Amino acid sequence: MDDVDRTIIAHLSQDARISLAVLARRMKVARSTIQARLERLETTGVIAGYTIRLGETARTSRIRASVLLAIEPRSQAGILSRLKAIAQIERIHTTSGRIDLLLHLSTNSTAELDEVLDRISVIEGVRSLESLVHLSTRLDRAV
């Protein structure tokens, strides 16, 4: 990846719907150059897909939480397969330190959140669970 590729990615991170023509004009390069670069970035897996990022207005009706899990040694594979089946879990990260997994959840209500937490807590190999309900977003630099 060079500076042109990084600039393309930066523009797409701000607006994934930007047209090739507009992107080419902003970058002062040929449209065919942008198209070839995008195809290469997609083929090599640098760009895995295009998506939307919901604004605060769309997220305010959702209950969001982070869940910290400590798990039994050598139980991660089984736990991950069970967690992936829970639709309300948006992201799962492995971590270092006393916590083994960090989950990001989004539900329609506190009752639904409570039900999901109960489902997670009874998965074989889960030693402890701590949930942190998100109240408001003060900064979001996620791409």
Side-chain angles (χ1 to χ4, degrees), residues 85-141:
I86 300 173
Q88 295 86 346
I89 298 175
E90 296 178 336
R91 276 184 231 94
I92 302 173
H93 303 279
T94 57
T95 64
S96 61
R98 67 179 181 83
I99 299 302
D100 301 300
L101 298 173
L102 170 63
L103 316 177
H104 293 275
L105 281 71
S106 181
T107 63
N108 291 312
S109 66
T110 54
E112 182 182 3
L113 175 61
D114 194 35
E115 184 268 326
V116 171
L117 294 174
D118 286 345
R119 286 176 58 195
I120 295 169
S121 69
V122 297
I123 294 174
E124 186 175 335
V126 172
R127 281 194 296 178
S128 68
L129 173 150
E130 180 179 351
S131 61
L132 307 164
V133 176
H134 301 189
L135 300 176
S136 65
T137 301
R138 303 299 173 117
L139 175 69
D140 184 357
R141 289 189 180 141

Side-chain angles (χ1 to χ4, degrees), residues 4-133:
V4 173
D5 293 336
R6 283 187 274 282
T7 303
I8 290 170
I9 291 170
H11 280 286
L12 290 172
S13 295
Q14 293 302 311
D15 180 6
R17 294 178 45 170
I18 191 171
S19 72
L20 293 178
V22 170
L23 185 53
R25 272 195 305 276
R26 287 185 185 170
M27 293 181 59
K28 297 180 174 68
V29 297
R31 183 187 176 285
S32 60
T33 300
I34 298 294
Q35 186 165 1
R37 295 286 186 126
L38 274 176
E39 287 173 5
R40 184 177 45 77
L41 290 169
E42 292 168 356
T43 303
T44 59
V46 173
I47 294 177
Y50 301 86
T51 187
I52 62 168
R53 198 173 65 176
L54 296 177
E56 193 62 30
T57 304
R59 290 187 282 177
T60 55
S61 63
R62 304 281 292 166
I63 305 296
R64 304 179 67 76
S66 295
V67 177
L68 310 174
L69 287 184
I71 63 175
E72 296 293 332
R74 294 178 294 284
S75 62
Q76 182 172 310
I79 291 172
L80 283 174
S81 68
R82 299 273 310 271
L83 293 174
K84 288 176 184 177
I86 300 173
Q88 295 86 346
I89 298 175
E90 296 178 336
R91 276 184 231 94
I92 302 173
H93 303 279
T94 57
T95 64
S96 61
R98 67 179 181 83
I99 299 302
D100 301 300
L101 298 173
L102 170 63
L103 316 177
H104 293 275
L105 281 71
S106 181
T107 63
N108 291 312
S109 66
T110 54
E112 182 182 3
L113 175 61
D114 194 35
E115 184 268 326
V116 171
L117 294 174
D118 286 345
R119 286 176 58 195
I120 295 169
S121 69
V122 297
I123 294 174
E124 186 175 335
V126 172
R127 281 194 296 178
S128 68
L129 173 150
E130 180 179 351
S131 61
L132 307 164
V133 176

